[in-house]
Amino acid sequence: MSRSLLTPGLQSWLQTHAQSLNADADAAQQVLAQLVQAGMHRIAVPQAFGGDGGEAIDAVDAIAQVAERSVTAAFVLWSHRAFIDYLCLTDNTAARELWLPDLLQGRLAGATGLSNAMKFLSQLEPLQVQARPDGDDGLRVAGKLPWVTNLRAPFVVAAAVQTPLQPAPMVLAIDSRLAGVERSADLDLLALRASNTAAIELDDVRVGQEAVLARDGLSFLKRARPMFLSLQCGMSLGLARASLQAAEQVGAARDVLHPRIDQARAELASLRETIREGLVSGRFVTDAPALFRVRLQLAAVVQESVQLELQGSGGRAYLRNHLPDFGRRLQESAFIPVVTPSLTQLQGELSKLASSAAAATPPAAPAPERAVP
Ligand SMILES: Cc1cc2nc3c(=O)[nH]c(=O)nc-3n(C[C@H](O)[C@H](O)[C@H](O)COP(=O)(O)OP(=O)(O)OC[C@H]3O[C@@H](n4cnc5c(N)ncnc54)[C@H](O)[C@@H]3O)c2cc1C
């Protein structure tokens, strides 16, 4: 079990605001500021880049501990932290120097609009943002990012773009202060309503070389993927833990559920250890399916945990004035399967890999005839 990474101030703010962060956008402007004030976004950012240092798993634990209190806040932290990670990975020093200090200070929000790129990689849809050269060192960018979180102005968002220069996409960082960047109103979400989630329209936006996070977007996305997905796993770890704790607290009358609670806890601990080990060894860069499976298994543990909370609470879970946290967690849990890459996309990738592995395997030799005993 990891040490507590939350300040008492952040813990109490999350406790007080968890319901409202899910149900309305009233505190949307404060979420990132609260996380930044508590230093959650600096965890495991190399000290050489101005962060607090630490192991990659610490950043996953940070998101998990926030998610135990509020998945909305955890997803905002994920967006900001994932963008910071792109800046740590990029070879473009100008990009890092331009945006990282403001992201670490919380003066700028980081966002990642890469769900389209993930689907493009799986050949599910074309890229929705196009760029063409403009002068010696610039690009003109146009298109739409239909879903992006943490768009508290000013923000900078990562997007994969198609150019006529090469078939593979580039990854660009686009600053909201540039002419032609238009943020929609917040999307009318079922839950996570204070997450600053909106669409972005890019109308002939001019960017310079500092915006190019990676010319070879595919290899960059592969390198970014282990942290991107592991940080997402933090949301599942935290939400499942919160539900299991609630399920356990509902009383001795529910002893019948304890073996399932223990089993879910053991699975969470083991999956967290798999993430820790994979991040340390670098295994997930070459063996992405191992991490896909972890995310799928965690999503199943989240569903089981929320069910345990419901079954432990019984009818009271339906009374909003008795157990309001259950209703919130039920809604928050509906987000876990659709976070990019969604469970459908992950299952699709795994079944594609299984089919190509089967096609590459030579047909088995006919079984030798059994000797009659
Ligand atoms: C609150 C919220 C915040 C979000 N924030 C962001 C953000 O910050 N950045 C961002 O980029 N996106 C964001 N998204 C978008 C989100 O990540 C997408 O919902 C996600 O990519 C799932 O895509 P989808 O909706 O098309 O559904 P999918 O799960 O992709 O599936 C939709 C359909 O497509 C088909 N399908 C999918 N994959 C396959 C496959 N491999 N093979 C065959 N069929 C398949 C299935 O039949 C399925 O019914 C957010 C969404 C929400 C709800």
Side-chain angles (χ1 to χ4, degrees), residues 40-41 43-45 55-65 67 71 74-86 112 224-238 275 279 284 291 294-295 298 336 339-340:
M40 302 305 287
H41 64 311
I43 294 172
V45 176
E55 291 184 26
I57 191 69
D58 298 336
V60 178
D61 287 337
I63 290 181
Q65 290 181 19
V71 169
F75 193 52
V76 165
L77 178 57
W78 173 83
S79 308
H80 198 67
R81 186 62 185 78
F83 189 89
I84 287 175
D85 197 56
Y86 303 152
T112 161
R225 188 163 52 186
M227 197 62 176
F228 179 95
L229 287 173
S230 299
L231 293 171
Q232 286 178 347
C233 288
M235 289 193 284
S236 299
L237 285 167
I275 297 168
L279 288 172
F284 294 145
L291 190 48
V294 169
R295 246 208 68 198
L298 275 172
I336 301 297
V339 181
T340 297

Side-chain angles (χ1 to χ4, degrees), residues 75 112-115 119 124 147-149 335 338 340 342 344-345 348:
F75 193 52
T112 161
L114 292 177
S115 55
K119 287 194 181 164
L124 291 173
W147 288 93
V148 191
T149 293
F335 182 53
V338 297
T340 297
S342 68
T344 316
Q345 292 163 22

Side-chain angles (χ1 to χ4, degrees), residues 167-368:
M170 284 189 194
V171 177
L172 297 185
I174 297 163
D175 194 308
S176 67
R177 293 163 288 195
L178 294 172
V181 180
E182 185 90 23
R183 179 208 196 274
S184 74
D186 282 356
L187 302 181
D188 187 12
L189 301 177
L190 167 76
L192 280 76
R193 291 179 67 90
S195 59
N196 269 305
T197 300
I200 301 172
E201 198 79 53
L202 302 166
D203 182 11
D204 205 27
V205 179
R206 188 180 194 284
V207 297
Q209 286 305 305
E210 72 288 345
V212 182
L213 294 182
R215 241 165 237 296
D216 178 357
L218 296 185
S219 82
F220 182 79
L221 290 173
K222 278 190 186 156
R223 281 191 295 135
R225 188 163 52 186
M227 197 62 176
F228 179 95
L229 287 173
S230 299
L231 293 171
Q232 286 178 347
C233 288
M235 289 193 284
S236 299
L237 285 167
L239 178 55
R241 274 183 207 144
S243 275
L244 291 175
Q245 196 184 346
E248 197 163 53
Q249 280 170 355
V250 286
R254 313 293 174 181
D255 273 356
V256 66
L257 299 176
H258 276 165
R260 282 170 62 195
I261 294 174
D262 291 345
Q263 164 82 17
R265 282 230 167 90
E267 282 177 43
L268 288 181
S270 150
L271 289 165
R272 177 191 174 275
E273 178 53 24
T274 307
I275 297 168
R276 191 199 65 74
E277 182 279 320
L279 288 172
V280 169
S281 66
R283 176 164 72 98
F284 294 145
V285 179
T286 48
D287 185 9
L291 190 48
F292 294 174
R293 283 189 284 272
V294 169
R295 246 208 68 198
L296 288 166
Q297 287 163 18
L298 275 172
V301 183
V302 168
Q303 294 310 318
E304 166 75 349
S305 304
V306 173
Q307 283 302 309
L308 283 165
E309 181 176 359
L310 170 62
Q311 291 169 37
S313 311
R316 278 191 308 144
Y318 246 69
L319 298 170
R320 289 201 294 180
N321 55 348
H322 278 245
L323 296 173
D325 287 341
F326 169 74
R328 168 175 58 82
R329 279 194 279 271
L330 183 64
Q331 289 191 337
E332 290 176 341
S333 73
F335 182 53
I336 301 297
V338 297
V339 181
T340 297
S342 68
L343 297 193
T344 316
Q345 292 163 22
L346 291 171
Q347 277 155 357
E349 283 303 301
L350 288 177
S351 68
K352 254 194 256 167
L353 288 168
S355 313
S356 49
T361 310

